[in-house]
Amino acid sequence: MSAPFVPVTRRWADLSGPALVAATSERSIAVVPIGAIEHHGPHLPLRTDALVAEAVASAAVERVAASGIDAWLLPTIEYAKSDEHYWAPGTLWVEGTTLLDQLVEIGRSIAMTPVRTVAFVNGHGGNVMLLGWANRELRRRFGLRSFSMPAGAGAAGDGLDGRPDELGQGIHAGFGETSVVMHLAPHLVAPEMPPRNVPEKIAGMTHIGFNRKPVMFGWTSDDFGPTGVIGDPTGANAEVGRMIFESGVDFVAEALVEIDGFEFG
């Protein structure tokens, strides 16, 4: 029997099953972008988080593959835990337990191939804690090396060089996220920006808040106003978005290099 045809691609789903088995090994890394379909104010597309995660993961996989790391891009998970935007028409979300089951089942499927490493590239904050849970499930159940990371480091406006000062609270549809979509898909961004909506009282607190403050709290995005924006998209621009995007690709590519060499102990 002749060897299976392996097309020149880094996209898992573009291969046949036999070609995937022939092309991968226990050194291969399955890279899974995960985002969300959720309300992003009146100016950004519902698939913003999925768009960014897929674009960053795709560029990072191509970069590290060119340097000899055997990374493969899996299809993007788009329906995720977005119940903070449950109130907004257009949001498509699943329960956390449903998403966890899906992540475990994807891991189980990966474990049926030679691949023994999976890395989730996440574009949606609501998935973070659940991905931590999934990492351990995939390790314990299937012996996979499992990792998760953001699709970049984020970039709240800091008030410098004409950027709005989001007081560290620009977490959703604000300056940074709007700028990235302007770079990746300008045709999907509305020409008129919604007004600034920064929760300044929370920004002044020492312990309670977003962005790694130690005291978390339950919230839905309409707690902060009717637009669903948490931040200040005014002044967003594609050039800043390009820099944020490239920083995200650098970060994910560097992380994949470390994952390639990772060992326990």
Side-chain angles (χ1 to χ4, degrees):
M1 177 181 287
S2 61
F5 167 66
V6 180
V8 180
T9 179
R10 281 283 148 186
R11 293 182 175 268
W12 179 286
D14 286 348
L15 277 67
S16 69
L20 179 75
V21 171
T24 57
S25 72
E26 64 179 14
R27 294 283 303 172
S28 303
I29 304 172
V31 179
V32 186
I34 179 170
I37 305 294
E38 64 179 29
H39 180 65
H40 272 79
H43 62 302
L44 293 181
L46 293 163
R47 73 176 303 257
T48 288
D49 293 344
L51 170 72
V52 174
E54 183 173 311
V56 169
S58 178
V61 164
E62 291 296 330
R63 181 182 299 179
V64 300
S67 68
I69 291 175
D70 193 29
W72 296 86
L73 184 71
L74 274 68
T76 302
I77 300 171
E78 297 200 344
Y79 303 135
K81 186 182 180 297
S82 298
D83 51 330
E84 65 267 44
H85 308 290
Y86 79 96
W87 58 274
T91 298
L92 303 175
W93 63 281
V94 298
E95 295 284 355
T97 50
T98 302
L99 180 58
L100 179 65
D101 287 344
Q102 182 183 12
L103 296 174
V104 169
E105 288 161 8
I106 289 171
R108 180 175 60 202
S109 300
I110 291 170
M112 293 292 292
T113 75
V115 179
R116 287 296 172 266
T117 302
V118 58
F120 296 99
V121 177
N122 178 39
H124 170 53
N127 295 331
V128 172
M129 289 188 287
L130 199 65
L131 284 167
W133 187 356
N135 283 336
R136 183 160 293 157
E137 291 291 313
L138 298 185
R139 180 64 186 164
R140 178 175 59 82
R141 296 194 192 193
F142 313 118
L144 294 173
R145 300 189 312 163
S146 183
F147 304 84
S148 56
M149 70 195 80
D158 55 13
L160 302 175
D161 299 326
R163 296 184 290 270
D165 187 354
E166 294 180 306
L167 307 176
Q169 306 298 297
I171 67 164
H172 188 71
F175 174 75
E177 195 165 38
T178 301
S179 294
V180 173
V181 181
M182 284 180 165
H183 166 64
L184 292 175
H187 60 291
L188 299 181
V189 182
E192 184 175 346
M193 293 294 107
R196 174 184 177 87
N197 188 46
V198 174
E200 298 192 7
K201 290 183 180 179
I202 294 176
M205 293 183 173
T206 301
H207 302 299
I208 301 173
F210 306 114
N211 294 329
R212 303 181 185 88
K213 285 188 177 178
V215 180
M216 297 182 292
F217 62 102
W219 57 274
T220 60
S221 56
D222 59 338
D223 286 333
F224 305 100
T227 68
V229 173
I230 307 173
D232 186 352
T234 61
N237 65 86
E239 177 57 22
V240 169
R242 180 188 65 79
M243 293 187 290
I244 296 171
F245 171 74
E246 290 180 354
S247 176
V249 175
D250 290 345
F251 162 72
V252 172
E254 291 168 6
L256 291 175
V257 171
E258 290 193 356
I259 287 170
D260 181 60
F262 179 85
E263 294 182 4
F264 291 98

